[in-house]
Amino acid sequence: MTFQPYAPDRQETAEPPASRAAQPQEDRPEPADEDKAGVLDLLEMTGSVVVPLGVTLYALLYMGYQGMYAVFGITPEQAGIDQSVLLGRLLGTILPLLILGAIVVGLFISLGWLLNLITRGWAGRMAQGVRRQPWIVAAIAAAWAGASYLGFMYFMTALDAADPTAKVSVEAGDVLIAAGLGVLAYVIPFRLLRRRSIGRAGLKVLVGALTGIGLGYILMIQMMYGAIGVLQKGESTAVLDAVGFQTQWAKLQDSGGKPLYDSRWMLVLGEHEGGYAIYDCDKGLTFRKFSESTILSEVQMWPPDRKKGFTCGSLAQ
């Protein structure tokens, strides 16, 4: 038996990978699309704030509708305002708010980019350094959450006012007090939330929800003020028009075409279960009338011409 000699085994030593500059162009790994990642991060951050803001704002605007129709002594359901009608009207309110909010955010981003360009990147590095400080971020979020409670304070102060028509003003000191209370109450919980990624996501949701609560209470009291204005003077406001409150004026006739109530203008608040909810501005009272026996004539969506300084309830006085 013969043996054929073989060369001894040699251990292959791995060659170090070639540098990026030495690699051929087609073999180089494609760089990460930073712009795409930035857009996705922006969409994720925007969605985590806008969705809870819209949900809480919708809930509080529904409460505002209840308070607005309570001024006339009826419920939204008695005026034919169900959930589907309310959703359609409030979308006309929330969408303009989102559009205006997008404009404000875009302006801030543009100003930040311009400031970063002027300072040659110093402003951007400083902003990134602040973001890496969890206590600073938690304090800013807590101050913003506290300032959101200003809407609730504004609402409660307006309800406690002796004169419901007296406008309640918010001063700079009130904003500082609300922000300070928010820092005392939320800075530690928000700092604890920032320890994990899921906590940071929850922090965005909380801030968005509290922002919606603050805006909702401010709009709610403005809706009630507007309803009081319609009750007293028969004139709508821009806020009522924005939230979909319809001021439909008409003269009433019976089924035979005979004028009713001396052909005075009536505010039709809505229709539900075969009956109109009608506000008689001249006498300052609200009543219901069967729609089958009532004809609305000369219908218009703007208040009728009245003398300057007119107030509702003149015939009752």
Side-chain angles (χ1 to χ4, degrees):
M1 180 181 293
T2 60
F3 297 91
Q4 184 176 359
Y6 289 91
D9 296 337
R10 291 181 301 176
Q11 295 182 353
E12 295 289 335
T13 58
E15 296 182 358
S19 63
R20 183 179 178 86
Q23 293 180 4
Q25 183 69 27
E26 61 273 9
D27 295 338
R28 295 181 185 179
E30 296 182 359
D33 193 349
E34 296 180 358
D35 293 336
K36 183 177 180 180
V39 171
L40 292 178
D41 291 341
L42 181 61
L43 291 176
E44 180 183 359
M45 183 176 62
T46 304
S48 61
V49 174
V50 170
V51 171
L53 188 151
V55 171
T56 53
L57 190 59
Y58 174 82
L60 286 169
L61 285 179
Y62 177 72
M63 295 171 59
Y65 258 83
Q66 290 180 325
M68 184 171 58
Y69 282 99
V71 172
F72 297 96
I74 61 174
T75 63
E77 290 75 15
Q78 290 175 331
I81 309 297
D82 55 12
Q83 290 293 334
S84 59
V85 175
L86 181 65
L87 178 61
R89 292 189 181 184
L90 292 185
L91 282 178
T93 305
I94 295 176
L95 290 180
L97 288 177
L98 293 179
I99 292 173
L100 292 176
I103 292 176
V104 173
V105 172
L107 288 176
F108 273 110
I109 293 176
S110 300
L111 290 176
W113 176 83
L114 182 61
L115 180 62
N116 187 54
L117 183 65
I118 294 174
T119 58
R120 297 184 177 181
W122 177 82
R125 291 190 296 270
M126 185 181 68
Q128 291 296 328
V130 171
R131 288 186 59 186
R132 297 189 187 98
Q133 302 298 322
W135 282 106
I136 297 178
V137 176
I140 295 174
W144 181 265
S148 299
Y149 275 96
L150 196 63
F152 177 73
M153 296 167 58
Y154 173 56
F155 176 76
M156 297 303 298
T157 303
L159 290 182
D160 293 337
D163 185 4
T165 62
K167 299 295 183 179
V168 178
S169 60
V170 179
E171 300 179 355
D174 300 330
V175 178
L176 294 177
I177 292 175
L181 292 176
V183 171
L184 292 176
Y186 289 120
V187 65
I188 293 180
F190 285 177
R191 171 63 183 88
L192 295 177
L193 284 175
R194 287 191 58 81
R195 289 185 174 181
R196 297 182 179 181
S197 58
I198 189 172
R200 291 190 289 272
L203 176 60
K204 298 175 185 177
V205 173
L206 285 175
V207 171
L210 290 174
T211 303
I213 290 174
L215 291 176
Y217 274 112
I218 292 175
L219 287 175
M220 188 190 306
I221 195 61
Q222 291 297 326
M223 291 166 65
M224 295 178 66
Y225 278 144
I228 292 173
V230 175
L231 186 75
Q232 293 182 343
K233 298 183 179 181
E235 297 179 356
S236 181
T237 62
V239 175
L240 291 186
D241 296 337
V243 298
F245 181 80
Q246 297 180 351
T247 52
Q248 185 181 59
W249 295 87
K251 294 181 179 181
L252 306 185
Q253 298 177 355
D254 60 13
S255 57
K258 180 181 178 181
L260 299 176
Y261 309 107
D262 300 327
S263 295
R264 291 185 281 107
W265 288 101
M266 301 288 179
L267 176 61
V268 183
L269 297 173
E271 181 184 4
H272 179 63
E273 295 182 351
Y276 289 117
I278 298 174
Y279 175 64
D280 187 348
C281 178
D282 295 303
K283 293 188 176 181
L285 57 88
T286 304
F287 62 93
R288 289 178 58 85
K289 191 169 181 59
F290 288 111
S291 56
E292 294 181 356
S293 60
T294 305
I295 299 175
L296 304 180
S297 64
E298 301 183 36
V299 180
Q300 61 186 34
M301 297 300 296
W302 59 89
D305 295 333
R306 301 184 187 274
K307 295 181 180 179
K308 187 177 181 180
F310 170 83
T311 57
C312 294
S314 56
L315 293 182
Q317 295 175 359

